[in-house]
Amino acid sequence: MGKQNSKLRPEVMQDLLESTDFTEAEIQEWYKGFLRDCPSGNLSMEEFKKIYVKAIYKMVSSVMKMPEDESTPEKRTDKIFRQMDTNRDGKLSLDEFVEGAKNDPSIVRLLQCDPSSVGQ
């Protein structure tokens, strides 16, 4: 991805600012992380699992009881990925990820967590 994709489109930024509690700087940091982890602009199921298991599931499972269909990182990632992959092509575009995250309050809450403070 070149420089033209290094910043979110203004309309996407505005939508995220209106629909989440993130600041513009926080959204930009998440976007930079997305581009670093997914330079193609698409997130495969395997990449999603690596990121999710490494960061989010460890945080969540330590602070809340997960339902049976989400009781392992694999079950949870499969479920979330299926919900987000609206065109069923086996990968998440940035738009699918953003829309999926906005439509799942638990993901928005998790993205607002500071992973460095978990377990302290």
Side-chain angles (χ1 to χ4, degrees), residues 102-118:
K102 284 182 357 187
N103 292 325
D104 187 334
S106 69
I107 293 174
V108 173
R109 283 192 309 271
L110 292 173
L111 292 174
Q112 292 170 331
C113 289
D114 177 3
S116 64
S117 68
V118 174

Side-chain angles (χ1 to χ4, degrees), residues 14-44:
Q14 189 60 42
D15 183 42
L16 289 169
L17 287 169
E18 292 172 3
S19 60
T20 70
D21 292 326
F22 293 119
T23 66
E24 187 168 341
E26 290 169 325
I27 292 168
Q28 204 60 272
E29 279 304 306
W30 280 104
Y31 183 59
K32 286 179 190 174
F34 180 86
L35 291 178
R36 185 176 47 252
D37 293 335
C38 311
S40 70
N42 293 302
L43 184 60
S44 72

Side-chain angles (χ1 to χ4, degrees), residues 63-94:
V63 295
M64 62 192 293
K65 181 167 173 44
M66 305 303 288
E68 180 54 38
D69 68 337
E70 300 177 13
S71 62
T72 67
E74 292 78 17
K75 287 181 181 179
R76 176 99 167 118
T77 53
D78 286 345
K79 181 179 178 180
I80 292 171
F81 193 91
R82 280 193 314 273
Q83 290 171 340
M84 289 182 164
D85 186 19
T86 55
N87 67 0
R88 304 290 182 243
D89 66 352
K91 55 190 172 190
L92 298 180
S93 66
L94 177 62

Side-chain angles (χ1 to χ4, degrees), residues 30 37 48-62 110-111 113 115 118:
W30 280 104
D37 293 335
F48 182 73
K49 282 183 178 181
K50 278 191 262 181
I51 293 166
Y52 184 83
V53 170
K54 186 168 75 175
I56 299 173
Y57 191 84
K58 288 178 183 176
M59 273 192 323
V60 175
S61 63
S62 68
L110 292 173
L111 292 174
C113 289
V118 174

